[in-house]
Amino acid sequence: MSAHATGGDTGGETLVNGAAARLGGFRAGAFPRHSPAALAPSSARTPAAPSQVKIGIRDVGKVFRTRGSDRPFTAVTGVDLDVREGEFLTLVGPSGCGKSTLLDLIAGLTAPTDGEILIDGRAVDGPGLDRGIVFQQYALLPWRTALANIEFGLEAKAVPRRERRERARHYLDLVGLAGFEHRYPHELSGGMRQRVAIARSLAFDPDVLLMDEPFAALDAQTRESLQEELLRVWEKTHKTVVFITHGIDEAVYLGQRVAVMTSRPGRIKEIVDVRFDSREGDLRADPVFGEYRHHVWSLLRNEVAAGREQERTVD
Amino acid sequence: MTDILAAPATGAARGDAPAPASPTTQTQTQTQTQTQIPAPAPVSPAAPESPKSPEILEAPESPETSRPARLAGLARLGRRVRLGPLVRRAPAVVLLAATWEMLPRTGAVDPVFVPPLSEVLRAWYDLLLGGQLLEHFQASLVRSLTGFGLAVVLAVPLGLAIGWYRPVADFLSPVLEIFRNTSAVALLPVFILILGLGEPSKIVFVFYACSWPILLNTVSGVRTVEPLLVRSARSLGLGPLSLFRKVILPAAVPTIFTGIRLAGASSILVLLFAEMVGAKAGLGYLVQDAQFSFRIPDMYAGIITISALGLLFNLLLLAVERRFSTWRTT
Ligand SMILES: Nc1ncnc2c1ncn2[C@@H]1O[C@H](COP(=O)(O)OP(=O)(O)OP(=O)(O)O)[C@@H](O)[C@H]1O
Ligand SMILES: [Mg+2]
């Protein structure tokens, strides 16, 4: 149960070494590594204590009751994970291990059957505007233009109309879609739609960004440029990001930490700290990148095999 | 005409147990109905088959005071209605008219039973001048519009409630299932028995027949809203009321409109039946009465008017529908 050990470690560090981390210059969070300019410990990028826990997942389990079967179906169980304030955490795991389920739980769209999820120390009891989700499919309203879709995220927040428009424009700009304000989703490419969805999640300024394989359906070039954009936005806004992906490269490239899940019922198998001396140049060609990549890959390989075996026995 | 014939099939297929693959079903229905749009359909100026139409659409409001009023009217109509498809379809209509004119004249068809078109048109003109046509037309229009309007006003909210609230659906489903499978025509004697031969029985009859397509399509429209949209709206902090207003309702509008158009077609269909069974006025009565008293040209004049009415109704509904779904691809 390395999962528990890792989760526990992190928690302990938070409580005991919080101050030390602050003084010792980003020991655990390694925040500045993504932007070479910010590598110096004096960087003003992280005003808050870096290893403060933002999302606390405590022994969380989710059991589904499926129709036509009285045997309950355990999607995730005993998940322990702390996501730190301002951290970029990527989550990988075999298909069907419960990643989306976990994200739904954090989002408050469903309630856990066991354990609890804390945001800033308070238990989650429903969706909230402190968390923004980007779903794997582009969940845009087809009858609204790009701009109106972004405004949609601000309507529940009672932002005045004028300001809604301004903010929507600003974020559309941010994701590089200025000039596409009045296009309907069906008039945009897949990558553009996903950018609108990201802009919408950013526009209402949530502390936490939950992303479920947002770039999975895109071609490699679009994906890479969106990855860059996401990192840029993240560096600018200091949001806490939980990013689910199937791509090991993507996980290692984006994440400060990569959480690897076991096959179903999913739990956290291991958390890999990713650290590079420099992100200059082609990071993916860096031998260190390859090592991380291989490590995560071997962790996953066993789980995927186990998952296959399990699925065969279920049928 | 294809419109009216093909549409009910879609409505029936949708049923009140919506197909699982919701978005596809919906789009298919939509594309289908859209492709069936008769001639004057200014959907998008992108239709490649009609190179003329964009100019026509973009033609400036010209002051056509010098020309005869009728021509000016036609030109305005053309601008709004798009002449491209109209021109494309005209040959078939002209051919039909010519055949109708020629066959009785050559004696291939008995002119007593099928008088030439020109005679029918003359009869139509006489009826128009005599005021009977208007009277019958008005009687039919008032009945079908009242029944249809009532159906829209009542069936849409009911359908929304059934689609949205599970308990309402569970409670009403069995009864609805029974009534749904009871033909309106079979119930006409009951309506007449209870409400008499006057207007109420006909209006209720039309209302009943119109309610089903609207109700069933509304229910399925609400039920087949993309769950992802609902989840995403909830994650954006929308409460149940705004969720319904801002997501469910707009998403269901196209499907609801399909139902409304089906209802529009059947409102005229069933009304004619009622008017043939027992009435003192109305286009159905006109046709039936003309046939009984062997005024054959009058009978055809009535039939033509009915076709025109159906066409008009459908066009009107299409225009309204388009107004509500400008965002659609097609
Ligand atoms: N609403 C539900 N009812 C029943 N079972 C569910 C439900 N949602 C998810 N599951 C089951 O829970 C398990 C985990 O699903 P989940 O969508 O979280 O997987 P995932 O890790 O996101 O997979 P993928 O990587 O393929 O997206 C799956 O086996 C799925 O069948
Ligand atoms: Mg998933």
Side-chain angles (χ1 to χ4, degrees):
Chain A
M1 293 294 92
S2 57
H4 286 257
T6 320
D9 263 3
T10 323
E13 184 180 69
T14 309
L15 294 174
V16 181
N17 294 344
R22 215 172 309 155
L23 296 171
F26 314 103
R27 253 192 70 233
F31 283 99
R33 103 202 136 82
H34 274 295
S35 75
L39 262 173
S42 60
S43 160
R45 258 198 67 218
T46 48
S51 45
Q52 200 175 328
V53 174
K54 182 71 187 176
I55 309 170
I57 302 172
R58 302 287 143 76
D59 197 23
V60 161
K62 178 72 185 175
V63 177
F64 288 111
R65 314 222 158 263
T66 42
R67 272 172 296 109
S69 141
D70 26 62
R71 204 147 46 94
F73 183 95
T74 309
V76 293
T77 183
V79 175
D80 264 309
L81 177 66
D82 281 336
V83 185
R84 301 166 195 150
E85 178 103 51
E87 176 179 35
F88 201 125
L89 181 109
T90 51
L91 188 63
V92 294
S95 182
C97 74
K99 303 182 293 294
S100 301
T101 306
L102 198 58
L103 209 72
D104 272 9
L105 291 171
I106 301 173
L109 289 171
T110 48
T113 28
D114 286 304
E116 59 175 352
I117 295 181
L118 309 169
I119 305 275
D120 291 327
R122 252 165 305 144
V124 167
D125 67 340
L129 289 167
D130 53 341
R131 286 149 288 156
I133 313 187
V134 179
F135 295 94
Q136 179 170 359
Q137 296 94 346
Y138 329 107
L140 300 177
L141 302 177
W143 54 87
R144 286 190 175 219
T145 60
L147 200 65
N149 258 293
I150 299 176
E151 284 174 36
F152 182 57
L154 299 169
E155 284 166 19
K157 231 182 172 177
V159 179
R161 183 181 291 264
R162 279 273 303 279
E163 199 192 325
R164 277 207 300 255
R165 181 125 298 202
E166 268 163 36
R167 259 212 252 177
R169 261 181 215 288
H170 170 76
Y171 281 95
L172 205 61
D173 239 22
L174 191 75
V175 296
L177 282 178
F180 290 89
E181 290 88 351
H182 303 298
R183 297 280 192 100
Y184 286 99
H186 72 85
E187 297 168 327
L188 297 170
S189 78
M192 290 173 172
R193 279 179 226 174
Q194 197 58 291
R195 277 188 269 173
V196 174
I198 293 171
R200 183 174 67 187
S201 302
L202 292 172
F204 62 88
D205 198 25
D207 298 340
V208 176
L209 207 52
L210 305 169
M211 307 181 90
D212 192 351
E213 301 184 36
F215 307 149
L218 307 176
D219 66 274
Q221 277 72 35
T222 313
R223 186 183 312 136
E224 274 179 30
S225 73
L226 284 187
Q227 286 170 350
E228 296 300 336
E229 263 170 54
L230 180 61
L231 282 181
R232 196 163 48 73
V233 169
W234 170 71
E235 277 163 8
K236 223 191 284 180
T237 56
H238 321 297
K239 290 188 191 311
T240 309
V241 183
V242 178
F243 187 104
I244 294 178
T245 174
H246 266 130
I248 301 174
D249 275 6
E250 187 170 62
V252 173
Y253 183 72
L254 292 175
Q256 290 178 304
R257 293 194 300 159
V258 180
V260 182
M261 284 180 79
T262 66
S263 58
R264 197 182 61 78
R267 42 175 90 227
I268 304 296
K269 180 181 171 114
E270 193 175 318
I271 298 180
V272 181
D273 258 295
V274 179
R275 225 170 297 189
F276 296 105
D277 296 334
S278 155
R279 285 180 73 90
E280 299 275 25
D282 186 0
L283 193 68
R284 292 176 177 88
D286 192 326
V288 184
F289 186 91
E291 276 164 38
Y292 282 127
R293 194 190 175 289
H294 181 73
H295 183 53
V296 174
W297 180 81
S298 8
L299 286 172
L300 269 176
R301 190 186 49 176
N302 300 334
E303 288 311 323
V304 172
R308 291 252 173 76
E309 192 56 42
Q310 191 185 37
E311 257 164 38
R312 215 170 293 138
T313 50
V314 165
D315 294 334
Chain B
M1 285 294 106
T2 23
D3 215 359
I4 295 161
L5 290 177
T10 5
R14 318 213 58 181
D16 82 344
S22 57
T24 6
T25 322
Q26 202 164 316
T27 9
Q28 271 167 5
T29 317
Q30 201 54 33
T31 16
Q32 201 180 340
T33 41
Q34 292 281 15
T35 42
Q36 288 156 358
I37 295 168
V43 195
S44 73
E49 325 89 82
S50 51
K52 270 186 211 157
S53 49
E55 301 146 48
I56 293 164
L57 281 169
E58 280 154 27
E61 275 308 322
S62 47
E64 289 176 295
T65 33
S66 57
R67 292 200 200 166
R70 212 164 124 258
L71 267 183
L74 264 180
R76 219 174 304 126
L77 189 78
R79 221 170 293 133
R80 208 171 313 134
V81 153
R82 229 190 189 216
L83 280 179
L86 212 66
V87 168
R88 250 185 309 125
R89 276 155 205 251
V93 178
V94 170
L95 194 71
L96 175 70
T99 316
W100 188 348
E101 183 66 30
M102 292 318 294
L103 285 186
R105 288 208 184 281
T106 55
V109 189
D110 190 341
V112 176
F113 297 131
V114 186
L117 179 60
S118 53
E119 231 168 273
V120 171
L121 289 180
R122 197 171 316 122
W124 187 86
Y125 192 60
D126 286 343
L127 280 175
L128 185 67
L129 287 187
Q132 296 110 299
L133 194 66
L134 202 68
E135 180 198 322
H136 292 304
F137 185 84
Q138 206 172 9
S140 290
L141 198 67
V142 167
R143 287 170 188 150
S144 64
L145 278 185
T146 314
F148 170 79
L150 278 176
V152 172
V153 169
L154 294 176
V156 170
L158 184 64
L160 293 176
I162 293 173
W164 189 232
Y165 297 109
R166 199 73 247 181
V168 179
D170 290 342
F171 178 70
L172 288 177
S173 286
V175 183
L176 291 179
E177 203 54 37
I178 293 172
F179 276 108
R180 181 159 90 95
N181 289 296
T182 309
S183 162
V185 171
L187 286 179
L188 181 59
V190 179
F191 293 143
I192 292 177
L193 191 69
I194 296 173
L195 299 167
L197 266 173
E199 296 304 294
S201 68
K202 291 181 191 62
I203 289 171
V204 168
F205 180 57
V206 171
F207 161 72
Y208 181 86
C210 287
S211 294
W212 294 109
I214 298 178
L215 188 71
L216 299 178
N217 274 278
T218 305
V219 170
S220 112
V222 172
R223 291 228 180 120
T224 54
V225 171
E226 173 66 47
L228 185 67
L229 291 183
V230 177
R231 264 154 46 90
S232 112
R234 284 220 301 134
S235 81
L236 291 171
L238 263 73
L241 211 67
S242 349
L243 179 69
F244 188 80
R245 200 164 56 82
K246 291 181 175 173
V247 179
I248 307 290
L249 207 54
V253 158
T255 323
I256 295 175
F257 262 106
T258 308
I260 289 181
R261 290 212 297 122
L262 293 175
S266 57
S267 76
I268 292 169
L269 201 78
V270 300
L271 176 68
L272 291 174
F273 178 77
E275 287 175 346
M276 286 182 176
V277 171
K280 291 277 176 302
L283 293 171
Y285 166 78
L286 171 67
V287 171
Q288 186 85 335
D289 184 53
Q291 195 245 2
F292 280 155
S293 45
F294 221 74
R295 287 179 285 121
I296 301 302
D298 285 5
M299 181 187 86
Y300 283 105
I303 293 173
I304 288 180
T305 314
I306 289 164
S307 302
L309 178 64
L311 214 59
L312 205 74
F313 210 15
N314 198 38
L315 285 181
L316 196 77
L317 291 176
L318 268 175
V320 177
E321 179 177 1
R322 215 168 298 118
R323 183 149 268 262
F324 276 96
S325 46
T326 42
W327 52 274
R328 295 210 71 99
T329 342
T330 33

